[in-house]
Amino acid sequence: MKGSILTKREKEVFELLIQNNSTIEIAEKLGISEKTVRNHISNTMQKLGVNGRAGAVVELLKLGEISL
């Protein structure tokens, strides 16, 4: 069985992102800096080969990595 392409933290960031949390809110909820949140988002977009958060969300939904 193929494992997740995301780290546990990247997945947590995107799950909060699709619940309409801002970068600041995600940082506060996870106890990490805003820069770290942005890094997780950027790393995920690179892994998926997409531009933008919306594109990443669409791909993650298609792959079953996150759900609404």
PDB file of all heavy atoms in Angstrom, residues 22-51:
ATOM      1  N   SER A  22      -6.917  31.042   8.449  1.00  0.00           N
ATOM      2  CA  SER A  22      -5.841  31.840   7.851  1.00  0.00           C
ATOM      3  C   SER A  22      -4.492  31.238   8.248  1.00  0.00           C
ATOM      4  O   SER A  22      -4.407  30.394   9.145  1.00  0.00           O
ATOM      5  CB  SER A  22      -5.915  33.277   8.352  1.00  0.00           C
ATOM      6  OG  SER A  22      -5.581  33.320   9.733  1.00  0.00           O
ATOM      7  N   THR A  23      -3.439  31.706   7.600  1.00  0.00           N
ATOM      8  CA  THR A  23      -2.082  31.256   7.941  1.00  0.00           C
ATOM      9  C   THR A  23      -1.799  31.524   9.418  1.00  0.00           C
ATOM     10  O   THR A  23      -1.250  30.673  10.112  1.00  0.00           O
ATOM     11  CB  THR A  23      -1.048  31.988   7.053  1.00  0.00           C
ATOM     12  OG1 THR A  23      -1.392  31.768   5.684  1.00  0.00           O
ATOM     13  CG2 THR A  23       0.354  31.465   7.294  1.00  0.00           C
ATOM     14  N   ILE A  24      -2.207  32.688   9.892  1.00  0.00           N
ATOM     15  CA  ILE A  24      -1.998  33.050  11.304  1.00  0.00           C
ATOM     16  C   ILE A  24      -2.749  32.088  12.225  1.00  0.00           C
ATOM     17  O   ILE A  24      -2.205  31.600  13.214  1.00  0.00           O
ATOM     18  CB  ILE A  24      -2.462  34.506  11.588  1.00  0.00           C
ATOM     19  CG1 ILE A  24      -1.602  35.483  10.795  1.00  0.00           C
ATOM     20  CG2 ILE A  24      -2.426  34.819  13.073  1.00  0.00           C
ATOM     21  CD1 ILE A  24      -2.143  36.902  10.764  1.00  0.00           C
ATOM     22  N   GLU A  25      -4.010  31.805  11.888  1.00  0.00           N
ATOM     23  CA  GLU A  25      -4.816  30.890  12.715  1.00  0.00           C
ATOM     24  C   GLU A  25      -4.224  29.486  12.724  1.00  0.00           C
ATOM     25  O   GLU A  25      -4.193  28.828  13.772  1.00  0.00           O
ATOM     26  CB  GLU A  25      -6.255  30.846  12.193  1.00  0.00           C
ATOM     27  CG  GLU A  25      -7.020  32.143  12.441  1.00  0.00           C
ATOM     28  CD  GLU A  25      -8.328  32.247  11.671  1.00  0.00           C
ATOM     29  OE1 GLU A  25      -8.469  31.627  10.597  1.00  0.00           O
ATOM     30  OE2 GLU A  25      -9.212  32.971  12.153  1.00  0.00           O
ATOM     31  N   ILE A  26      -3.757  29.022  11.574  1.00  0.00           N
ATOM     32  CA  ILE A  26      -3.144  27.687  11.494  1.00  0.00           C
ATOM     33  C   ILE A  26      -1.901  27.646  12.376  1.00  0.00           C
ATOM     34  O   ILE A  26      -1.705  26.698  13.151  1.00  0.00           O
ATOM     35  CB  ILE A  26      -2.805  27.316  10.031  1.00  0.00           C
ATOM     36  CG1 ILE A  26      -4.096  27.155   9.219  1.00  0.00           C
ATOM     37  CG2 ILE A  26      -1.966  26.041   9.984  1.00  0.00           C
ATOM     38  CD1 ILE A  26      -3.885  27.057   7.714  1.00  0.00           C
ATOM     39  N   ALA A  27      -1.075  28.688  12.282  1.00  0.00           N
ATOM     40  CA  ALA A  27       0.145  28.766  13.092  1.00  0.00           C
ATOM     41  C   ALA A  27      -0.186  28.694  14.585  1.00  0.00           C
ATOM     42  O   ALA A  27       0.443  27.939  15.332  1.00  0.00           O
ATOM     43  CB  ALA A  27       0.902  30.053  12.778  1.00  0.00           C
ATOM     44  N   GLU A  28      -1.201  29.453  14.998  1.00  0.00           N
ATOM     45  CA  GLU A  28      -1.598  29.460  16.409  1.00  0.00           C
ATOM     46  C   GLU A  28      -2.118  28.097  16.850  1.00  0.00           C
ATOM     47  O   GLU A  28      -1.760  27.602  17.923  1.00  0.00           O
ATOM     48  CB  GLU A  28      -2.662  30.532  16.660  1.00  0.00           C
ATOM     49  CG  GLU A  28      -2.092  31.938  16.603  1.00  0.00           C
ATOM     50  CD  GLU A  28      -3.161  33.029  16.640  1.00  0.00           C
ATOM     51  OE1 GLU A  28      -4.371  32.703  16.619  1.00  0.00           O
ATOM     52  OE2 GLU A  28      -2.775  34.217  16.686  1.00  0.00           O
ATOM     53  N   LYS A  29      -2.963  27.485  16.026  1.00  0.00           N
ATOM     54  CA  LYS A  29      -3.554  26.192  16.387  1.00  0.00           C
ATOM     55  C   LYS A  29      -2.512  25.081  16.476  1.00  0.00           C
ATOM     56  O   LYS A  29      -2.642  24.175  17.300  1.00  0.00           O
ATOM     57  CB  LYS A  29      -4.644  25.795  15.386  1.00  0.00           C
ATOM     58  CG  LYS A  29      -5.892  26.643  15.542  1.00  0.00           C
ATOM     59  CD  LYS A  29      -6.976  26.269  14.566  1.00  0.00           C
ATOM     60  CE  LYS A  29      -8.172  27.198  14.768  1.00  0.00           C
ATOM     61  NZ  LYS A  29      -9.323  26.844  13.981  1.00  0.00           N
ATOM     62  N   LEU A  30      -1.489  25.146  15.628  1.00  0.00           N
ATOM     63  CA  LEU A  30      -0.469  24.085  15.610  1.00  0.00           C
ATOM     64  C   LEU A  30       0.755  24.434  16.454  1.00  0.00           C
ATOM     65  O   LEU A  30       1.650  23.606  16.614  1.00  0.00           O
ATOM     66  CB  LEU A  30      -0.043  23.790  14.168  1.00  0.00           C
ATOM     67  CG  LEU A  30      -1.137  23.246  13.247  1.00  0.00           C
ATOM     68  CD1 LEU A  30      -0.580  23.022  11.847  1.00  0.00           C
ATOM     69  CD2 LEU A  30      -1.736  21.954  13.797  1.00  0.00           C
ATOM     70  N   GLY A  31       0.793  25.667  16.974  1.00  0.00           N
ATOM     71  CA  GLY A  31       1.928  26.081  17.798  1.00  0.00           C
ATOM     72  C   GLY A  31       3.220  26.219  17.011  1.00  0.00           C
ATOM     73  O   GLY A  31       4.299  25.889  17.512  1.00  0.00           O
ATOM     74  N   ILE A  32       3.106  26.673  15.766  1.00  0.00           N
ATOM     75  CA  ILE A  32       4.272  26.880  14.916  1.00  0.00           C
ATOM     76  C   ILE A  32       4.219  28.299  14.351  1.00  0.00           C
ATOM     77  O   ILE A  32       3.207  28.983  14.501  1.00  0.00           O
ATOM     78  CB  ILE A  32       4.348  25.837  13.763  1.00  0.00           C
ATOM     79  CG1 ILE A  32       3.084  25.877  12.881  1.00  0.00           C
ATOM     80  CG2 ILE A  32       4.577  24.431  14.333  1.00  0.00           C
ATOM     81  CD1 ILE A  32       3.067  24.893  11.716  1.00  0.00           C
ATOM     82  N   SER A  33       5.291  28.739  13.713  1.00  0.00           N
ATOM     83  CA  SER A  33       5.315  30.100  13.166  1.00  0.00           C
ATOM     84  C   SER A  33       4.555  30.171  11.842  1.00  0.00           C
ATOM     85  O   SER A  33       4.346  29.155  11.180  1.00  0.00           O
ATOM     86  CB  SER A  33       6.757  30.564  12.956  1.00  0.00           C
ATOM     87  OG  SER A  33       7.318  29.896  11.845  1.00  0.00           O
ATOM     88  N   GLU A  34       4.174  31.403  11.482  1.00  0.00           N
ATOM     89  CA  GLU A  34       3.516  31.614  10.183  1.00  0.00           C
ATOM     90  C   GLU A  34       4.419  31.183   9.045  1.00  0.00           C
ATOM     91  O   GLU A  34       3.972  30.617   8.058  1.00  0.00           O
ATOM     92  CB  GLU A  34       3.189  33.099   9.992  1.00  0.00           C
ATOM     93  CG  GLU A  34       1.968  33.569  10.717  1.00  0.00           C
ATOM     94  CD  GLU A  34       1.738  35.033  10.412  1.00  0.00           C
ATOM     95  OE1 GLU A  34       1.302  35.353   9.286  1.00  0.00           O
ATOM     96  OE2 GLU A  34       2.027  35.856  11.307  1.00  0.00           O
ATOM     97  N   LYS A  35       5.726  31.460   9.185  1.00  0.00           N
ATOM     98  CA  LYS A  35       6.683  31.093   8.146  1.00  0.00           C
ATOM     99  C   LYS A  35       6.708  29.576   7.959  1.00  0.00           C
ATOM    100  O   LYS A  35       6.766  29.085   6.829  1.00  0.00           O
ATOM    101  CB  LYS A  35       8.079  31.616   8.492  1.00  0.00           C
ATOM    102  CG  LYS A  35       9.105  31.305   7.406  1.00  0.00           C
ATOM    103  CD  LYS A  35      10.410  32.000   7.663  1.00  0.00           C
ATOM    104  CE  LYS A  35      11.467  31.801   6.614  1.00  0.00           C
ATOM    105  NZ  LYS A  35      11.252  30.853   5.569  1.00  0.00           N
ATOM    106  N   THR A  36       6.638  28.841   9.047  1.00  0.00           N
ATOM    107  CA  THR A  36       6.633  27.376   8.968  1.00  0.00           C
ATOM    108  C   THR A  36       5.371  26.890   8.260  1.00  0.00           C
ATOM    109  O   THR A  36       5.437  25.975   7.441  1.00  0.00           O
ATOM    110  CB  THR A  36       6.755  26.764  10.379  1.00  0.00           C
ATOM    111  OG1 THR A  36       7.971  27.234  10.967  1.00  0.00           O
ATOM    112  CG2 THR A  36       6.786  25.245  10.318  1.00  0.00           C
ATOM    113  N   VAL A  37       4.241  27.522   8.557  1.00  0.00           N
ATOM    114  CA  VAL A  37       2.989  27.171   7.868  1.00  0.00           C
ATOM    115  C   VAL A  37       3.156  27.391   6.372  1.00  0.00           C
ATOM    116  O   VAL A  37       2.834  26.518   5.557  1.00  0.00           O
ATOM    117  CB  VAL A  37       1.791  27.997   8.403  1.00  0.00           C
ATOM    118  CG1 VAL A  37       0.544  27.765   7.541  1.00  0.00           C
ATOM    119  CG2 VAL A  37       1.508  27.646   9.859  1.00  0.00           C
ATOM    120  N   ARG A  38       3.691  28.559   5.992  1.00  0.00           N
ATOM    121  CA  ARG A  38       3.895  28.850   4.573  1.00  0.00           C
ATOM    122  C   ARG A  38       4.875  27.866   3.936  1.00  0.00           C
ATOM    123  O   ARG A  38       4.686  27.474   2.780  1.00  0.00           O
ATOM    124  CB  ARG A  38       4.366  30.300   4.384  1.00  0.00           C
ATOM    125  CG  ARG A  38       3.253  31.312   4.663  1.00  0.00           C
ATOM    126  CD  ARG A  38       3.608  32.712   4.207  1.00  0.00           C
ATOM    127  NE  ARG A  38       4.779  33.245   4.887  1.00  0.00           N
ATOM    128  CZ  ARG A  38       4.753  33.932   6.027  1.00  0.00           C
ATOM    129  NH1 ARG A  38       3.608  34.192   6.613  1.00  0.00           N
ATOM    130  NH2 ARG A  38       5.868  34.379   6.570  1.00  0.00           N
ATOM    131  N   ASN A  39       5.896  27.467   4.683  1.00  0.00           N
ATOM    132  CA  ASN A  39       6.850  26.472   4.163  1.00  0.00           C
ATOM    133  C   ASN A  39       6.167  25.140   3.892  1.00  0.00           C
ATOM    134  O   ASN A  39       6.420  24.499   2.872  1.00  0.00           O
ATOM    135  CB  ASN A  39       8.026  26.273   5.126  1.00  0.00           C
ATOM    136  CG  ASN A  39       8.990  27.438   5.126  1.00  0.00           C
ATOM    137  OD1 ASN A  39       9.000  28.254   4.217  1.00  0.00           O
ATOM    138  ND2 ASN A  39       9.798  27.519   6.175  1.00  0.00           N
ATOM    139  N   HIS A  40       5.299  24.698   4.812  1.00  0.00           N
ATOM    140  CA  HIS A  40       4.573  23.439   4.618  1.00  0.00           C
ATOM    141  C   HIS A  40       3.695  23.523   3.371  1.00  0.00           C
ATOM    142  O   HIS A  40       3.629  22.580   2.582  1.00  0.00           O
ATOM    143  CB  HIS A  40       3.703  23.103   5.840  1.00  0.00           C
ATOM    144  CG  HIS A  40       4.473  22.625   7.022  1.00  0.00           C
ATOM    145  ND1 HIS A  40       5.434  21.650   6.948  1.00  0.00           N
ATOM    146  CD2 HIS A  40       4.427  22.985   8.325  1.00  0.00           C
ATOM    147  CE1 HIS A  40       5.945  21.429   8.155  1.00  0.00           C
ATOM    148  NE2 HIS A  40       5.345  22.235   9.010  1.00  0.00           N
ATOM    149  N   ILE A  41       3.030  24.654   3.188  1.00  0.00           N
ATOM    150  CA  ILE A  41       2.162  24.840   2.019  1.00  0.00           C
ATOM    151  C   ILE A  41       3.002  24.822   0.740  1.00  0.00           C
ATOM    152  O   ILE A  41       2.673  24.145  -0.234  1.00  0.00           O
ATOM    153  CB  ILE A  41       1.336  26.137   2.154  1.00  0.00           C
ATOM    154  CG1 ILE A  41       0.338  25.995   3.314  1.00  0.00           C
ATOM    155  CG2 ILE A  41       0.612  26.459   0.850  1.00  0.00           C
ATOM    156  CD1 ILE A  41      -0.324  27.289   3.758  1.00  0.00           C
ATOM    157  N   SER A  42       4.110  25.549   0.767  1.00  0.00           N
ATOM    158  CA  SER A  42       5.003  25.624  -0.389  1.00  0.00           C
ATOM    159  C   SER A  42       5.582  24.248  -0.736  1.00  0.00           C
ATOM    160  O   SER A  42       5.618  23.856  -1.909  1.00  0.00           O
ATOM    161  CB  SER A  42       6.136  26.615  -0.081  1.00  0.00           C
ATOM    162  OG  SER A  42       7.031  26.676  -1.146  1.00  0.00           O
ATOM    163  N   ASN A  43       6.019  23.510   0.282  1.00  0.00           N
ATOM    164  CA  ASN A  43       6.570  22.165   0.051  1.00  0.00           C
ATOM    165  C   ASN A  43       5.529  21.248  -0.574  1.00  0.00           C
ATOM    166  O   ASN A  43       5.837  20.469  -1.484  1.00  0.00           O
ATOM    167  CB  ASN A  43       7.064  21.547   1.368  1.00  0.00           C
ATOM    168  CG  ASN A  43       8.287  22.246   1.909  1.00  0.00           C
ATOM    169  OD1 ASN A  43       8.992  22.952   1.193  1.00  0.00           O
ATOM    170  ND2 ASN A  43       8.539  22.057   3.190  1.00  0.00           N
ATOM    171  N   THR A  44       4.307  21.340  -0.094  1.00  0.00           N
ATOM    172  CA  THR A  44       3.225  20.509  -0.625  1.00  0.00           C
ATOM    173  C   THR A  44       2.950  20.862  -2.087  1.00  0.00           C
ATOM    174  O   THR A  44       2.795  19.968  -2.927  1.00  0.00           O
ATOM    175  CB  THR A  44       1.946  20.679   0.227  1.00  0.00           C
ATOM    176  OG1 THR A  44       2.235  20.307   1.575  1.00  0.00           O
ATOM    177  CG2 THR A  44       0.820  19.816  -0.308  1.00  0.00           C
ATOM    178  N   MET A  45       2.908  22.161  -2.390  1.00  0.00           N
ATOM    179  CA  MET A  45       2.670  22.585  -3.777  1.00  0.00           C
ATOM    180  C   MET A  45       3.782  22.067  -4.685  1.00  0.00           C
ATOM    181  O   MET A  45       3.509  21.611  -5.795  1.00  0.00           O
ATOM    182  CB  MET A  45       2.546  24.106  -3.867  1.00  0.00           C
ATOM    183  CG  MET A  45       1.281  24.627  -3.205  1.00  0.00           C
ATOM    184  SD  MET A  45       0.937  26.395  -3.433  1.00  0.00           S
ATOM    185  CE  MET A  45       2.471  27.178  -3.055  1.00  0.00           C
ATOM    186  N   GLN A  46       5.028  22.094  -4.207  1.00  0.00           N
ATOM    187  CA  GLN A  46       6.151  21.570  -4.998  1.00  0.00           C
ATOM    188  C   GLN A  46       6.002  20.071  -5.232  1.00  0.00           C
ATOM    189  O   GLN A  46       6.199  19.592  -6.344  1.00  0.00           O
ATOM    190  CB  GLN A  46       7.475  21.830  -4.284  1.00  0.00           C
ATOM    191  CG  GLN A  46       8.126  23.128  -4.680  1.00  0.00           C
ATOM    192  CD  GLN A  46       9.542  23.208  -4.148  1.00  0.00           C
ATOM    193  OE1 GLN A  46       9.798  22.866  -2.997  1.00  0.00           O
ATOM    194  NE2 GLN A  46      10.450  23.649  -4.988  1.00  0.00           N
ATOM    195  N   LYS A  47       5.663  19.319  -4.194  1.00  0.00           N
ATOM    196  CA  LYS A  47       5.475  17.870  -4.315  1.00  0.00           C
ATOM    197  C   LYS A  47       4.417  17.532  -5.361  1.00  0.00           C
ATOM    198  O   LYS A  47       4.542  16.559  -6.094  1.00  0.00           O
ATOM    199  CB  LYS A  47       5.030  17.256  -2.976  1.00  0.00           C
ATOM    200  CG  LYS A  47       6.102  17.140  -1.939  1.00  0.00           C
ATOM    201  CD  LYS A  47       5.517  16.500  -0.681  1.00  0.00           C
ATOM    202  CE  LYS A  47       6.495  16.505   0.465  1.00  0.00           C
ATOM    203  NZ  LYS A  47       5.936  15.876   1.670  1.00  0.00           N
ATOM    204  N   LEU A  48       3.360  18.351  -5.391  1.00  0.00           N
ATOM    205  CA  LEU A  48       2.231  18.098  -6.290  1.00  0.00           C
ATOM    206  C   LEU A  48       2.433  18.698  -7.678  1.00  0.00           C
ATOM    207  O   LEU A  48       1.695  18.380  -8.604  1.00  0.00           O
ATOM    208  CB  LEU A  48       0.948  18.671  -5.679  1.00  0.00           C
ATOM    209  CG  LEU A  48       0.488  18.036  -4.369  1.00  0.00           C
ATOM    210  CD1 LEU A  48      -0.619  18.864  -3.750  1.00  0.00           C
ATOM    211  CD2 LEU A  48       0.045  16.609  -4.585  1.00  0.00           C
ATOM    212  N   GLY A  49       3.414  19.589  -7.806  1.00  0.00           N
ATOM    213  CA  GLY A  49       3.659  20.260  -9.076  1.00  0.00           C
ATOM    214  C   GLY A  49       2.542  21.213  -9.473  1.00  0.00           C
ATOM    215  O   GLY A  49       2.174  21.297 -10.633  1.00  0.00           O
ATOM    216  N   VAL A  50       2.003  21.909  -8.472  1.00  0.00           N
ATOM    217  CA  VAL A  50       0.914  22.859  -8.733  1.00  0.00           C
ATOM    218  C   VAL A  50       1.313  24.267  -8.315  1.00  0.00           C
ATOM    219  O   VAL A  50       2.228  24.443  -7.517  1.00  0.00           O
ATOM    220  CB  VAL A  50      -0.396  22.469  -7.995  1.00  0.00           C
ATOM    221  CG1 VAL A  50      -0.913  21.132  -8.482  1.00  0.00           C
ATOM    222  CG2 VAL A  50      -0.202  22.460  -6.485  1.00  0.00           C
ATOM    223  N   ASN A  51       0.618  25.244  -8.867  1.00  0.00           N
ATOM    224  CA  ASN A  51       0.800  26.638  -8.473  1.00  0.00           C
ATOM    225  C   ASN A  51      -0.402  27.053  -7.651  1.00  0.00           C
ATOM    226  O   ASN A  51      -1.527  26.929  -8.101  1.00  0.00           O
ATOM    227  CB  ASN A  51       0.905  27.545  -9.706  1.00  0.00           C
ATOM    228  CG  ASN A  51       2.166  27.271 -10.495  1.00  0.00           C
ATOM    229  OD1 ASN A  51       3.226  27.060  -9.910  1.00  0.00           O
ATOM    230  ND2 ASN A  51       2.061  27.261 -11.795  1.00  0.00           N
TER     231      ASN A  51
END
